[in-house]
Amino acid sequence: MHMSDGLVDAPTSLLFGVVAVAGVAVAAWKARTELDERTAPMAGLVAAFIFAVQMVNFPILPGASGHLLGGALAAILVGPYTGALCVAIVLVVQALLFADGGLTALGTNITNMALIGVGVGYAVAVALRPLLRGFGDSGLAVLAFVAALANTLAAASGFLLEYALGGAGQTSLGTVAWYMLGTHTLIGIGEGLITALTVVAVSRARPDLVYLLRTAPRRTAEVPT
């Protein structure tokens, strides 16, 4: 979801602006371990896809809109650090060129969608990775669906934390939580379906392009001594 200027107070915006800068800096540093001749082109395609789906949004509350996030999809395909950079770049472009999300709210938006969303989505995907053994495409689809749903709800929860700390609106936290979590559960189901279909399609065509599959643990034969 995108937050606009003035939805949280200045100290809260500044706090999460610092969090966003630090998180993106760490992601940029760690992404060097993920980027190679396969990941780099895929990262560009993932960023373009996320940009396209995030442009379709609708209002939830005054100053906040809902849309697909794409964090889990990015993490599964190109890795958590590269995925966080993809989402952060999309958010910066949207804020600067399309006024989609306020400049003072850019830190909170990056924190919610690029850091919390991508991080939780990837953690859930890794936790469910044993499904890949023995369940094939079905396991991968379930993994992607649940990771995308978790990514969406986690980002919405980040918004609620920021609103609880310094919400400048007149709407009560309970009402905001009801609208945000209820709406983003529905969004998460839609995002889960799109993520599952996309990840399975890519894995069937080019499994070597799916970061999660490349990093899946493999059993190594014991070397006799």
Side-chain angles (χ1 to χ4, degrees):
M1 73 303 299
H2 275 89
M3 296 171 61
S4 63
D5 294 326
L7 193 56
V8 295
D9 58 26
T12 304
S13 294
L14 180 61
L15 170 62
F16 286 97
V18 173
V19 171
V21 170
V24 170
V26 172
W29 177 261
K30 293 288 189 177
R32 299 182 305 168
T33 63
E34 298 171 346
L35 289 171
D36 54 27
E37 68 279 358
R38 294 169 296 183
T39 307
M42 177 62 75
L45 293 174
V46 167
F49 180 79
I50 293 173
F51 180 85
V53 298
Q54 286 195 6
M55 292 300 288
V56 181
N57 55 60
F58 51 90
I60 298 176
L61 294 166
S65 62
H67 52 72
L68 301 180
L69 274 68
L73 175 66
I76 292 171
L77 291 181
V78 297
Y81 299 112
T82 305
L85 288 181
C86 289
V87 177
I89 290 170
V90 167
L91 294 174
V92 170
V93 171
Q94 288 176 339
L96 294 178
L97 300 183
F98 297 92
D100 197 357
L103 291 178
T104 62
L106 187 56
T108 54
N109 286 328
I110 289 176
T111 298
N112 294 339
M113 290 181 270
L115 302 183
I116 296 175
V118 172
V120 169
Y122 186 71
V124 171
V126 170
L128 295 178
R129 194 159 52 185
L131 286 175
L132 298 177
R133 294 195 292 268
F135 291 94
D137 288 346
S138 298
L140 184 59
V142 171
L143 177 154
F145 178 89
V146 176
L149 177 60
N151 145 71
T152 306
L153 293 177
S157 299
F159 170 89
L160 293 177
L161 172 62
E162 292 149 5
Y163 193 84
L165 291 175
Q170 301 301 316
T171 309
S172 68
L173 179 61
T175 301
V176 172
W178 173 261
Y179 277 104
M180 290 297 293
L181 294 179
T183 302
H184 280 85
T185 297
L186 297 177
I187 293 174
I189 292 172
E191 176 155 354
L193 293 173
I194 293 173
T195 301
L197 290 172
T198 304
V199 170
V200 170
V202 174
S203 71
R204 284 179 174 177
R206 289 286 303 275
D208 60 303
L209 295 181
V210 181
Y211 178 84
L212 186 71
L213 298 182
R214 300 204 312 267
T215 59
R218 298 181 178 85
R219 290 188 175 184
T220 55
E222 293 186 3
V223 178
T225 57

